[in-house]
Amino acid sequence: MKKIVVVGGGVGGTVVANRLRKKLGKKEAEITLVDENGMHYYLPSTLFTFIGMDTPNKNVKPEEKLLHKGINLVVDKVSQIDADNRKVKLESGKELDYDYLVISAGATVDESLIPGFKEGAHHFHGYDAAVKLYEAVKNFKGGKVIIGIGGLPYRCPPSPYEATLMLYDYFKKKKKIKDFEIEFLSPLPRLFSIEPVSREVFEPKFEEKGIKWHEMVNVESIDPEKKMVQTLEGEEFKYDLLILTPPHRGAPIQYAQELTDDENWVLTDKNKLTVKDYDDVYAVGDITNIPTSKAGSVAEFEAEVASMRIYQDIKHGSADELYDGKTVCFVITDIGKATVVKFNFENPPGNFKITRFNWMLKKMYRGYYFRIMLKNPLGLNNLFTRLFL
Amino acid sequence: MTEEVVVDARGSFCPGPLMETIKTIRKVPSGTKIVVLSSDEGSTKDIPKWAEKAGHQVVEVSKEEDHWKIVIVKK
């Protein structure tokens, strides 16, 4: 019997464990998923939470309810991964041996990397932060809002742009604030990283709403007393409300071997999803250093590939399933409208249709995610994508 | 003697080479020469544009066999 250990119970880890449990009999494989708190967070709704359109409780569920029977859930922190000796060491002192390991522990935000961040800035990359931001947004009476990106890469690349466009609508239409302006700080040489999305979606929408943006701006520090953002380029931006995507890093796991870069992103083959030189170690989702979006859909599609490769290896002694960079995101352009962005390593996105229907799909997705996608009772991968996108 | 650091960003596409350059600039002392190697032609515009904006000196932009070389001196 093969031992499979999955580290992290987010999208990627849950999908890997569930797909493998459906494919492999209990005599063929023992599957253990380690998660640090045993709770599963549906993160896209932080975008709705920070303007009071959603609450955290609908987006958090116990991980054990989302796993198939026959998967051992261990609630513990991973203290070290030792790939040479095929061991996962836990903070409780327990050790798990494995034949196959999947690292899917995600990304973490580190506000301390920007001096003054904790005192001066808000963000929405997590429910506690989004709820706190809602209080600030709700009490905002007018003035200058600076929204920006405090470091690359970060989870859900379109989200700061979506937040900007939604916040404009919230202030303008819901709160009917007359005297406010929003400016956006991008570290990139253009507004958004993916050129067609920048040119055809975000730039026209920002122009339509009168939102000014600044390119090649790298935030260095925040002065919360003067309410000022200072940049590496020597510029200063005064704000009344500051919303900044904090720097992200790979989950804080120790590795006995050098499996990560200097920001703790796991060195992952972008097609096979194996880690460095280890054919028995996979990484999926936000924790990889693969040059694609850190997005839920990527974690889902990578998890399907990784689980298929492990299945193929156990059954046939080799694996040929490859990840092609497939990414699908709903991108909100207004409160009530969205478009779909689809691409892979070879084909850039295009043909953006901004519709109310896409907004409805984005709102519906959570139900599909919790009820169907994670457990996949019908055995049909990517059902939502096939039906609607 | 001027210290020299090489940022080999070949194989990475926009904004990768620019971001690698910025990451390196943050770490090295003033006066350091940063040699960026990039296979993305966009880097020949983006990196000098950013360097000039931030006040660093662009001393070379050249085409090598299969990549571009951009040399900056940190202010």
Side-chain angles (χ1 to χ4, degrees):
Chain A
M1 186 199 295
K2 299 292 185 189
K3 287 183 177 176
I4 302 167
V5 172
V6 180
V7 174
V11 187
T14 306
V15 169
V16 165
N18 279 342
R19 300 294 187 272
L20 283 168
R21 191 65 291 163
K22 289 286 267 187
K23 287 182 211 294
L24 296 165
K26 284 179 187 162
K27 287 182 182 167
E28 289 176 296
E30 179 188 271
I31 303 171
T32 302
L33 187 146
V34 186
D35 188 72
E36 64 176 12
N37 61 21
M39 300 304 285
H40 189 106
Y41 298 85
Y42 179 71
L43 288 173
S45 296
T46 58
L47 267 182
F48 301 108
T49 304
F50 93 89
I51 48 169
M53 290 179 70
D54 204 345
T55 52
N57 61 327
K58 292 177 190 159
N59 297 291
V60 185
K61 293 196 186 298
E63 178 69 11
E64 63 176 345
K65 293 207 166 23
L66 305 171
L67 292 173
H68 285 302
K69 281 182 186 160
I71 296 169
N72 309 316
L73 173 64
V74 175
V75 179
D76 205 336
K77 272 193 181 175
V78 171
S79 56
Q80 194 196 50
I81 287 172
D82 183 347
D84 285 344
N85 295 301
R86 294 179 160 184
K87 274 187 198 307
V88 175
K89 296 175 185 172
L90 306 179
E91 278 193 355
S92 61
K94 215 169 148 185
E95 287 189 355
L96 302 170
D97 297 323
Y98 64 80
D99 297 294
Y100 297 92
L101 173 67
V102 182
I103 306 170
S104 52
T108 184
V109 299
D110 191 348
E111 298 169 4
S112 69
L113 292 168
I114 297 180
F117 191 109
K118 281 183 187 166
E119 303 79 16
H122 285 277
H123 71 91
F124 54 84
H125 295 267
Y127 281 101
D128 290 347
V131 168
K132 200 173 142 223
L133 173 56
Y134 177 48
E135 285 304 309
V137 162
K138 205 167 56 175
N139 296 321
F140 184 76
K141 304 285 183 240
K144 183 177 271 192
V145 185
I146 296 284
I147 307 188
I149 295 160
L152 295 168
Y154 58 89
R155 263 194 308 242
C156 192
S159 64
Y161 305 86
E162 296 173 281
T164 305
L165 295 166
M166 291 168 82
L167 188 65
Y168 175 88
D169 285 2
Y170 175 80
F171 284 158
K172 190 88 181 167
K173 292 172 189 165
K174 180 142 195 215
K175 297 253 298 173
K176 301 198 186 306
I177 298 175
K178 284 182 185 151
D179 182 23
F180 78 96
E181 55 179 322
I182 302 178
E183 293 190 16
F184 191 93
L185 310 183
S186 171
L188 303 160
R190 55 180 163 267
L191 181 58
F192 184 61
S193 55
I194 304 168
E195 197 163 5
V197 183
S198 190
R199 202 179 50 238
E200 294 174 41
V201 180
F202 288 133
E203 289 177 25
K205 274 287 164 190
F206 272 49
E207 279 167 7
E208 181 190 310
K209 295 181 198 242
I211 299 163
K212 191 176 167 189
W213 70 90
H214 305 267
E215 295 165 359
M216 295 184 168
V217 172
N218 291 274
V219 176
E220 191 75 343
S221 61
I222 295 159
D223 184 335
E225 281 178 18
K226 289 186 187 157
K227 295 199 163 190
M228 192 84 85
V229 176
Q230 283 119 2
T231 74
L232 182 63
E233 294 77 21
E235 292 162 290
E236 290 190 326
F237 295 91
K238 184 104 178 72
Y239 65 84
D240 294 299
L241 174 64
L242 175 62
I243 304 171
L244 196 64
T245 293
H248 285 53
R249 295 290 181 265
I253 293 173
Q254 303 291 318
Y255 301 88
Q257 296 76 30
E258 274 188 30
L259 302 186
T260 61
D261 65 14
D262 60 355
E263 294 183 351
N264 231 30
W265 306 114
V266 173
L267 305 170
T268 311
D269 184 290
K270 70 176 192 175
N271 300 118
K272 292 190 218 163
L273 307 177
T274 46
V275 174
K276 242 184 147 185
D277 309 320
Y278 297 90
D279 287 342
D280 52 357
V281 182
Y282 286 84
V284 298
D286 295 345
I287 202 165
T288 78
N289 73 330
I290 296 174
T292 188
S293 299
K294 297 196 180 298
S297 71
V298 171
E300 176 193 342
F301 302 140
E302 287 176 348
E304 280 163 2
V305 171
S307 56
M308 180 55 87
R309 287 183 63 88
I310 292 170
Y311 168 79
Q312 288 174 330
D313 202 45
I314 290 173
K315 288 286 196 188
H316 313 298
S318 66
D320 60 10
E321 190 82 359
L322 296 174
Y323 177 59
D324 65 357
K326 185 178 172 188
T327 307
V328 183
C329 296
F330 290 105
V331 172
I332 296 170
T333 54
D334 311 82
I335 293 181
K337 284 185 185 166
T339 187
V340 176
V341 173
K342 278 198 287 187
F343 57 95
N344 60 28
F345 291 141
E346 303 298 325
N347 304 296
N351 193 25
F352 309 109
K353 292 192 180 90
I354 296 172
T355 65
R356 183 158 284 279
F357 182 62
N358 286 330
W359 164 269
M360 284 162 55
L361 290 177
K362 172 133 184 162
K363 296 283 281 178
M364 279 164 55
Y365 193 82
R366 180 179 62 203
Y368 164 78
Y369 176 87
F370 278 129
R371 292 191 193 98
I372 297 170
M373 194 285 275
L374 292 174
K375 281 194 168 180
N376 196 17
L378 304 173
L380 293 169
N381 287 349
N382 312 335
L383 183 64
F384 199 89
T385 314
R386 288 184 209 196
L387 283 176
F388 298 114
L389 304 175
Chain B
M1 205 178 118
T2 314
E3 212 178 306
E4 188 173 297
V5 178
V6 177
V7 177
D8 189 350
R10 286 175 290 184
S12 169
F13 291 92
C14 176
L18 173 63
M19 292 303 134
E20 285 301 312
T21 306
I22 292 172
K23 205 161 123 183
T24 304
I25 289 242
R26 280 192 149 125
K27 289 180 195 162
V28 299
S30 182
T32 305
K33 190 190 267 190
I34 297 120
V35 180
V36 187
L37 310 178
S38 173
S39 45
D40 180 6
E41 193 176 359
S43 298
T44 60
K45 287 183 196 155
D46 295 343
I47 294 174
K49 193 176 158 191
W50 175 79
E52 277 160 25
K53 182 182 175 190
H56 307 298
Q57 193 190 351
V58 181
V59 292
E60 187 185 335
V61 178
S62 58
K63 174 95 170 77
E64 304 283 298
E65 274 182 14
D66 57 351
H67 63 275
W68 284 266
K69 183 165 107 175
I70 303 124
V71 183
I72 301 165
V73 176
K74 181 172 175 175
K75 70 170 173 186

